[in-house]
Amino acid sequence: MYAGPPGIPHWEVREDSSREVLVALYLRDALGVVDPSGLPRLLGTGLGDVPETDPRLSFGWLRWWIPLIEPDARGWEFPDGDDPFAVAVRRHLDSARAWATVAHEQYNGAAIARMQRPDTVLNELVTERTAVVGREPRHFRLRIEVLPLTASGVWWIGDEAIAVDDTSRDEPILYRDLLAPIVAQIV
């Protein structure tokens, strides 16, 4: 977690590669759901290309996804029985959980390695932006999901959440360049 210095309006950034998000994205890819955020497919899942899915599966996935990434979204009860979404998810859930556990452990290893060197990118970007706009930063929260993706970049996945690919996260200059426009928007 990163937070602004004491005495200025509060801001908070949390970084993770949460198992829940990894499971949901694995299922998205396994079910052939088209993600409206444009977030690329996951890397290393072993899943082949899946034709675009039944709209009922896409709808079910989106209803499940939104509460995962939006802290104020109302939860959604997972359907039971013969609901097409529930049946499709059950078919892939064990594989999704196993893959997510491995991916999360890989993220943790990379995060520990990053902790060995100073990571001041966010503080620097916020400080630079406040100098440009001539005021203290607004209160903001940002969740960063670091994900093994098939493409490099950063994507908004929620009102207060972005995804960044793990390769870009490990390249400090590229990571800074990707975060600069995000910080400019929210500060």
Side-chain angles (χ1 to χ4, degrees):
M1 181 178 80
Y2 306 92
I8 64 169
H10 179 73
W11 58 272
E12 180 181 306
V13 177
R14 293 184 182 274
E15 179 184 295
D16 195 8
S17 186
S18 67
R19 283 186 180 93
E20 296 83 9
V21 167
L22 291 165
V23 166
L25 291 174
Y26 182 102
L27 292 170
R28 174 204 66 173
D29 292 352
L31 300 176
V33 171
V34 176
D35 187 337
S37 71
L39 190 65
R41 289 174 54 94
L42 292 169
L43 185 64
T45 61
L47 294 168
D49 288 335
V50 178
E52 192 170 328
T53 193
D54 177 333
R56 293 175 299 177
L57 298 182
S58 292
F59 179 74
W61 184 83
L62 283 169
R63 289 199 56 195
W64 183 39
W65 172 249
I66 291 169
L68 286 177
I69 57 167
E70 295 293 348
D72 299 328
R74 211 172 103 224
W76 175 65
E77 290 219 13
F78 194 80
D80 291 327
D82 293 335
D83 176 86
F85 178 68
V87 170
V89 166
R90 280 194 301 269
R91 187 171 47 245
H92 298 284
L93 192 55
D94 289 341
S95 296
R97 287 177 175 155
W99 181 86
T101 296
V102 171
H104 183 75
E105 288 171 2
Q106 289 172 342
Y107 165 78
N108 283 341
I112 290 169
R114 281 192 299 272
M115 290 168 60
Q116 305 305 314
R117 61 183 189 271
D119 189 358
T120 59
V121 169
L122 285 161
N123 282 323
E124 290 170 3
L125 287 171
V126 170
T127 300
E128 290 168 11
R129 183 65 183 163
T130 57
V132 167
V133 297
R135 60 169 171 70
E136 294 298 325
R138 290 179 275 222
H139 167 78
F140 70 87
R141 291 185 306 177
L142 182 65
R143 173 179 173 178
I144 302 173
E145 288 287 338
V146 180
L147 304 168
L149 299 171
T150 57
S152 294
V154 65
W155 296 264
W156 282 102
I157 58 172
D159 290 342
E160 298 177 348
I162 61 171
V164 63
D165 69 287
D166 55 355
T167 302
S168 297
R169 178 60 182 100
D170 289 335
E171 296 292 332
I173 294 171
L174 176 59
Y175 184 60
R176 179 185 172 82
D177 290 345
L178 290 170
L179 281 186
I182 302 295
V183 170
Q185 269 187 284
I186 60 179
V187 168

